[in-house]
């Protein structure tokens, strides 16, 4: 089960198992749906919006740190979006990417697997690695947050 | 020098020990938050006290849109003494600290008489020493230790200068006057 602390419109937004969504998060889907995978962590103050008619898919094991802003992009698995990064509309992001603090991605970009983006606009590619350690760490974090959130 | 700031009484809660919290701020887990007194929290402040203990000193001023969140590490606990487990570290903010707008703070300890600028990103497990100044728009990577009496700034933040010996007294006077002049509209 997932831990959702802010108010989300549950008709248009579907959240997988084990997710942790913190306070102050705005997930806005006007026409198309937003589908979020398993074990994603969305921290405080994030802003996710879908303006298109098509659905927007966010994969599993992603981490959205404080203050991120994502619009109209399809996202794969095991990505990390650090604090206050801005991803503008119509991009596609594949798996295992990492976006540094305060980075900005202009519209209509395609980012392949294993890419790293640093402030202000440097983009590197890293040799492929096994992402099973990342998945273990994130599922442990989700379990710890869920345990704290459901205590009351 | 003394500029009186008047606020609308309907927008702020005031407690008996002199803490003034804006009604638009989001504070969670108030059982574990321990505030000494006479602090001011402006609009849109997010303070998470449910993850770990938060202990705050006196005369703290937190401006708009600041996020204060405890950080975590992997360590041994009483329940699992052999296997490393996620532990949330307590957040300690000392007396006479000023945090300017839109900063994100995930440090473990902030020393006395420090001032943190606008749009700063202080990452996990940082330790900030006393009497130090962190300039605007600076990014501190995780696990940095800022020594006492220093000025840090830049992206990534590096040591720039040493603060003079009078910063402690100036900061104390500035924040005591700020609290005195923060007065409801009559």
């Amino acid at each position: 089960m997932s831990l959702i602390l802010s108010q989300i419109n549950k008709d248009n937004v579907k959240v997988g198992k084990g997710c942790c969504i913190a306070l102050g998060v705005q997930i806005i889907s006007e026409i198309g749906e937003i589908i979020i995978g398993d074990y994603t962590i969305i921290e405080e103050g994030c802003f996710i919006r879908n303006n298109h008619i098509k659905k927007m898919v966010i994969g599993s094991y992603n981490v959205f740190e404080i203050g991120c802003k994502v619009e109209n992009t399809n996202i794969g698995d095991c990505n990390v979006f650090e604090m206050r990064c801005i991803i503008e509309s119509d991009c596609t992001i594949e798996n295992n990417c990492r976006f540094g603090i305060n980075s900005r991605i202009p519209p209509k970009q395609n980012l392949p697997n294993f890419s790293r983006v640093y402030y202000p606009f440097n983009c590197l590619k890293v040799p492929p690695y096994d992402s099973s350690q990342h998945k273990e760490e994130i599922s442990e974090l989700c379990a710890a947050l869920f345990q704290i959130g459901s205590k009351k | 020098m003394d500029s009186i700031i008047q606020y609308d009484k309907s927008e702020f809660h005031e407690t008996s020990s002199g803490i003034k919290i804006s009604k638009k701020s989001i504070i969670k887990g108030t059982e574990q938050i321990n505030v000494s007194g006479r602090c001011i929290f402006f609009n849109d402040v997010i303070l998470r006290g449910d993850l770990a203990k938060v202990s705050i000193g006196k005369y703290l001023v937190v401006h708009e849109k600041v996020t204060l969140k405890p950080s975590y590490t992997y360590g041994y606990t009483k329940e699992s003494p052999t296997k490393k487990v996620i532990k949330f570290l307590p957040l300690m903010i000392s007396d006479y600290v000023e945090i300017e707008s839109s900063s994100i703070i995930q440090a473990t300890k902030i020393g006395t008489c420090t001032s943190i600028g606008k749009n700063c990103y202080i990452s996990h497990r940082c330790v900030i020493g006393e009497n130090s100044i962190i300039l605007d728009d600076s990014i501190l990577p995780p696990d940095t230790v800022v020594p006492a009496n220093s000025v840090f700034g830049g992206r990534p933040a590096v040591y720039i200068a040493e603060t003079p010996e009078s910063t402690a007294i100036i900061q104390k006077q500035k924040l005591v006057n700020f609290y005195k002049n923060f007065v409801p509209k009559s």
Side-chain angles (χ1 to χ4, degrees), chain A residues 30-48:
Chain A
E30 289 159 15
I31 309 173
E33 286 185 333
I34 298 181
I35 299 178
I36 301 181
D38 307 331
Y39 296 106
T40 54
I41 298 176
I42 304 183
E43 296 195 357
E44 282 81 3
C46 285
F47 181 81
I48 299 178

Side-chain angles (χ1 to χ4, degrees), chain B residues 7-46:
Chain B
Y7 64 93
D8 213 351
K9 227 184 180 181
S10 62
E11 288 180 11
F12 279 81
H13 281 302
E14 181 166 353
T15 66
S16 57
S17 53
I19 307 171
K20 300 184 179 174
I21 308 177
S22 159
K23 289 187 183 176
K24 290 185 192 170
S25 61
I26 305 175
I27 297 185
K28 196 166 195 303
T30 48
E31 299 105 17
Q32 283 186 304
I33 300 180
N34 196 358
V35 183
S36 293
R38 292 188 219 126
C39 300
I40 303 175
F41 293 85
F42 280 89
N43 299 339
D44 295 324
V45 168
I46 299 180

Side-chain angles (χ1 to χ4, degrees), chain B residues 55-70:
Chain B
S55 62
I56 296 180
K58 57 186 177 181
Y59 291 106
L60 168 75
V61 174
V62 179
H63 287 268
E64 287 94 0
K65 297 186 188 172
V66 169
T67 310
L68 288 164
K69 189 176 175 183

Side-chain angles (χ1 to χ4, degrees), chain B:
Chain B
M1 183 77 185
D2 291 25
S3 54
I4 297 185
I5 302 177
Q6 292 187 328
Y7 64 93
D8 213 351
K9 227 184 180 181
S10 62
E11 288 180 11
F12 279 81
H13 281 302
E14 181 166 353
T15 66
S16 57
S17 53
I19 307 171
K20 300 184 179 174
I21 308 177
S22 159
K23 289 187 183 176
K24 290 185 192 170
S25 61
I26 305 175
I27 297 185
K28 196 166 195 303
T30 48
E31 299 105 17
Q32 283 186 304
I33 300 180
N34 196 358
V35 183
S36 293
R38 292 188 219 126
C39 300
I40 303 175
F41 293 85
F42 280 89
N43 299 339
D44 295 324
V45 168
I46 299 180
L47 173 57
R48 301 232 22 196
D50 54 339
L51 302 171
K53 275 190 196 170
V54 175
S55 62
I56 296 180
K58 57 186 177 181
Y59 291 106
L60 168 75
V61 174
V62 179
H63 287 268
E64 287 94 0
K65 297 186 188 172
V66 169
T67 310
L68 288 164
K69 189 176 175 183
S71 57
Y72 63 91
T73 178
Y74 287 90
Y76 300 109
T77 57
K78 267 186 195 172
E79 287 115 4
S80 75
T82 46
K83 188 185 167 195
K84 281 198 177 177
V85 156
I86 289 183
K87 253 195 317 189
F88 281 92
L89 300 170
L91 171 63
M92 292 201 292
I93 302 183
S94 313
D95 308 332
Y96 306 105
V97 174
E98 181 174 20
I99 303 179
E100 303 255 356
S101 55
S102 299
S103 299
I104 296 178
I105 295 187
Q106 292 184 308
T108 50
K109 184 168 182 195
I110 302 183
T112 65
C113 304
T114 61
S115 73
I116 298 179
K118 300 181 188 173
N119 295 316
C120 286
Y121 299 89
I122 299 182
S123 309
H124 297 273
R125 301 175 292 271
C126 287
V127 173
I128 300 181
E130 54 183 21
N131 302 328
S132 55
I133 299 175
I134 296 186
L135 303 175
D136 298 344
D137 299 319
S138 59
I139 298 182
L140 269 87
D143 299 300
T144 45
V145 174
V146 174
N149 301 315
S150 57
V151 176
F152 261 59
R155 302 182 157 193
V158 287
Y159 177 85
I160 292 178
E162 193 177 340
T163 59
E165 287 167 357
S166 55
T167 37
I169 298 177
I170 292 177
Q171 181 85 348
K172 282 183 193 175
Q173 273 183 356
K174 176 182 172 191
L175 290 178
V176 170
N177 282 334
F178 189 95
Y179 185 83
K180 250 198 253 173
N181 292 333
F182 193 70
V183 160
K185 279 185 200 165
S186 50

Side-chain angles (χ1 to χ4, degrees), chain A residues 19-152:
Chain A
C19 283
C20 296
I21 298 184
L23 299 162
V25 170
Q26 291 176 312
I27 304 185
I28 300 176
S29 64
E30 289 159 15
I31 309 173
E33 286 185 333
I34 298 181
I35 299 178
I36 301 181
D38 307 331
Y39 296 106
T40 54
I41 298 176
I42 304 183
E43 296 195 357
E44 282 81 3
C46 285
F47 181 81
I48 299 178
R49 183 163 74 170
N50 185 16
N51 274 336
H52 288 326
I53 304 175
K54 291 185 258 181
K55 62 183 179 181
M56 174 172 153
V57 176
I58 298 180
S60 317
Y61 300 102
N62 292 313
V63 177
F64 291 84
E65 296 201 0
I66 297 175
C68 291
K69 207 173 164 190
V70 176
E71 295 197 25
N72 298 332
T73 61
N74 288 323
I75 298 177
D77 303 332
C78 301
N79 300 308
V80 176
F81 297 83
E82 297 192 6
M83 303 189 218
R84 294 239 174 103
C85 50
I86 297 177
I87 296 178
E88 306 202 8
S89 54
D90 296 323
C91 301
T92 48
I93 296 172
E94 300 192 18
N95 309 326
N96 294 307
C97 299
R98 189 168 190 123
F99 295 84
I101 297 179
N102 217 358
S103 48
R104 270 190 188 208
I105 299 195
K108 297 186 185 168
Q109 302 282 319
N110 292 323
L111 285 162
N113 287 333
F114 300 106
S115 58
R116 300 278 184 265
V117 177
Y118 296 112
Y119 176 86
F121 12 76
N122 306 320
C123 182
L124 305 169
K125 234 187 148 185
V126 161
Y129 56 86
D130 189 16
S131 58
S132 56
Q133 195 195 6
H134 173 90
K135 289 184 186 176
E136 268 183 34
E137 288 178 0
I138 299 259
S139 44
E140 272 185 32
L141 234 192
C142 284
L145 285 170
F146 185 71
Q147 205 184 20
I148 292 176
S150 57
K151 257 188 202 172
K152 288 199 179 171

